């Protein structure tokens, strides 16, 4: 399964058009490879991000996700890691 989305925000009032208010745009894509693996990516005028998640369906259930993003206006990168283990 592949999901895609686009977000565009632009000022509509005359005052915000004259003040050079920032237009925001973001595109995202998600690919559910199978019931265990999901890959996500997004890009905007400010940053780019990616993520991958794995979920096991055995007992106990285990979920692991890794994400990363880069803000190319500020030159900063970030990452995240999540692990969840639970018993039904």
């Amino acid at each position: 399964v592949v999901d895609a989305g686009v977000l565009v925000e632009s000022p509509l009032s005359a005052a915000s058009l004259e003040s050079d208010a920032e237009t925001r745009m973001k595109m995202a894509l998600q690919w559910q490879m199978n019931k265990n693996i999901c890959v996500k990516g997004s890009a905007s005028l400010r940053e780019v991000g990616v993520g991958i998640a794995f979920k096991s369906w055995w007992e106990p259930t285990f979920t692991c996700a890794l994400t990363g993003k880069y803000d190319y206006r500020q030159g900063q990168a970030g990452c995240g890691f999540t692990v969840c283990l639970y018993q039904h």
Side-chain angles (χ1 to χ4, degrees), residues 10 12 14 21 24-25 38 44 64:
S10 183
L12 297 177
R24 297 183 351 173
M25 184 168 77
C38 180
S44 70
C64 178

Side-chain angles (χ1 to χ4, degrees), residues 20-39:
D20 253 355
E22 185 177 326
T23 298
R24 297 183 351 173
M25 184 168 77
K26 186 173 189 177
M27 298 181 337
L29 187 66
Q30 173 180 305
W31 178 28
Q32 185 76 38
M33 297 172 69
N34 56 37
K35 72 176 189 172
N36 297 42
I37 300 174
C38 180
V39 179

